[in-house]
């Protein structure tokens, strides 16, 4: 066991800050420290992670994974994440960095770690591993699925080196407003409210097209908003036993069908649970706009942040 330095002792608050009280950040990090399945997630990345050899030894895998998660939770760029660790005692304590003995991993090191995950498509693997862990804890995938999609914005400006927008992003209209970016499509279990599947596309792809990929096949009910109306055949292609509980359009020939509106209202009491996932991903953790160019990089971030959102939403069950 290494001897504790004064820097680490100060970070751990060993009697040096008598009047300090825990902040919301401290409480959040303490919760995630307890409920994130670190060993299981590290086992997904470990076969692809650099091994110690003749050169400089790599930084510990769990430490890099913790830094990577901090980047997602606080919506930080690579260099901003490095500076946040230098600035915040709570973040250094969570990642496990002793400034009296070692440096904070720099932004370039975090960039290489992120590219490792993107190269081997480990975002999807981490998302799947989280699902396995949650099911082992008793959070089984039920027979109802809620499908929905949300737009993640991208810069539409052409004031850059290429003089063009990201070619993999596209524009779409929602209501009377135009948006440019990508779409995150998810399938959420209607009972637990946790995401079990996801697809990332350009924003101009209609919500209904990835629908079969969002179903696990054993559904008995499928919920969704009116974008998925009249898609019984598409639902049946993947889940033949599923009944269509998607919201139907209520305006026909200029008249409003009040009976259909009432049925939609009852369906939406269940369907609204999908918004909890989007609230965590977009509002709590700031993934309302893309940070990288191209769908592949942002898809990796999407899968990772959805896995973390599942852990966060199931925190009470995991801490029991």
């Amino acid at each position: 066991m290494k001897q504790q330095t004064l820097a680490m002792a100060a970070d751990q608050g060993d009697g040096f800050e008598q009047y300090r009280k825990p902040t919301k950040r401290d409480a959040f990090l303490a919760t995630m420290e307890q409920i994130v399945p670190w060993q299981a997630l590290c086992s997904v990345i470990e076969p692809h992670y650099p091994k110690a050899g003749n050169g400089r030894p790599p930084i510990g895998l769990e430490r890099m994974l913790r830094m990577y998660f901090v980047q997602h939770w606080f919506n930080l760029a690579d260099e901003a994440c490095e500076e946040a660790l230098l600035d915040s005692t709570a973040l250094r304590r969570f990642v496990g960095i002793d400034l009296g003995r070692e440096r904070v991993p720099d932004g370039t090191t975090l960039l290489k770690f992120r590219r490792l995950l993107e190269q081997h498509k480990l975002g999807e693997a981490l998302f799947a591993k989280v699902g396995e862990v949650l099911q082992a804890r008793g959070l089984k995938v039920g027979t109802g699925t809620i499908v929905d999609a949300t737009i993640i914005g991208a810069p539409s400006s052409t004031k850059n080196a290429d003089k063009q927008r990201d070619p993999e992003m596209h524009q779409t209209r929602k209501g009377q407003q135009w948006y440019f970016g990508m779409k995150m499509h998810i399938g959420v279990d209607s009972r637990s409210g946790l995401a079990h599947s996801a697809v990332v596309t350009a924003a101009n792809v209609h919500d209904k097209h990835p629908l079969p990929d969002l179903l696990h096949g054993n559904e008995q009910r499928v919920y969704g908003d009116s974008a998925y109306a009249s898609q019984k055949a598409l639902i049946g292609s993947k889940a033949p036993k599923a009944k269509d509980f998607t919201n139907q359009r209520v305006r026909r020939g200029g008249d409003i069908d009040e009976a259909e509106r009432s049925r939609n209202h009852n369906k939406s009491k269940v369907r609204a649970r999908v918004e909890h996932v989007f609230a965590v991903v977009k509002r709590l953790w700031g993934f309302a706009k893309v940070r990288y160019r191209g769908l592949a990089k942002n898809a990796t971030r999407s899968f990772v942040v959805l896995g973390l959102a599942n852990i966060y939403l199931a925190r009470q069950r995991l801490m029991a």
Side-chain angles (χ1 to χ4, degrees), residues 18 29 69 84 97 175 185 198 209 228 235 251 289:
Q18 183 177 354
L29 293 175
F69 286 174
I97 295 174
H185 310 258
H209 293 310
Y228 303 94
I235 293 172
R251 188 177 295 276
K289 292 185 177 181

Side-chain angles (χ1 to χ4, degrees), residues 2-21:
K2 293 183 179 180
Q3 182 179 0
Q4 190 178 53
T5 66
L6 288 176
M8 178 60 77
D11 284 352
Q12 298 293 341
D14 294 345
F16 292 98
E17 297 177 332
Q18 183 177 354
Y19 298 105
R20 186 181 187 277
K21 66 177 183 179

Side-chain angles (χ1 to χ4, degrees), residues 12-160:
Q12 298 293 341
D14 294 345
F16 292 98
E17 297 177 332
Q18 183 177 354
Y19 298 105
R20 186 181 187 277
K21 66 177 183 179
T23 63
K24 290 182 180 180
R25 175 182 287 184
D26 291 326
F28 170 77
L29 293 175
T31 299
M32 302 310 283
E33 168 74 41
Q34 183 177 349
I35 65 177
V36 172
W38 298 107
Q39 291 185 351
L41 298 183
C42 286
S43 68
V44 174
I45 307 172
E46 197 275 334
H48 308 279
Y49 198 68
K51 306 298 188 294
N54 296 326
R56 185 173 62 179
I59 297 172
L61 172 55
E62 184 175 328
R63 176 169 297 179
M64 288 306 305
L65 187 62
R66 286 171 178 265
M67 185 176 178
Y68 181 64
F69 286 174
V70 164
Q71 181 181 39
H72 286 305
W73 290 329
F74 300 100
N75 195 26
L76 301 169
D78 297 334
E79 292 185 358
C81 188
E82 176 191 356
E83 292 184 359
L85 285 168
L86 290 168
D87 185 63
S88 172
T89 299
L91 295 181
R92 285 199 303 274
R93 183 164 57 240
F94 176 78
V95 176
I97 295 174
D98 181 358
L99 288 181
R101 182 178 287 115
E102 58 201 340
R103 295 184 177 91
V104 171
D106 59 19
T108 302
T109 303
L110 182 57
L111 168 65
K112 292 179 179 179
F113 181 78
R114 179 164 52 79
R115 286 183 174 172
L116 174 73
L117 302 186
E118 295 163 359
Q119 178 183 355
H120 298 284
K121 297 184 178 180
L122 296 179
E124 298 177 44
L126 291 172
F127 176 66
K129 177 59 71 173
V130 169
E132 293 176 10
V133 171
L134 293 178
Q135 290 193 48
R137 298 285 185 90
L139 293 166
K140 304 292 185 181
V141 176
T143 57
T145 291
I146 311 167
V147 292
D148 203 357
T150 187
I151 298 172
I152 307 294
S156 58
S157 174
T158 58
K159 295 180 179 179
N160 51 52

Side-chain angles (χ1 to χ4, degrees), residues 268-300:
S268 294
K269 293 178 182 178
V270 177
R271 189 192 63 79
R273 292 175 186 168
V274 72
E275 303 298 342
H276 299 175
V277 179
F278 290 144
V280 173
V281 170
K282 298 182 70 174
R283 300 291 174 251
L284 187 61
W285 295 341
F287 190 24
K289 292 185 177 181
V290 303
R291 185 174 295 280
Y292 316 114
R293 288 176 67 87
L295 287 177
K297 295 179 180 180
N298 289 292
T300 298

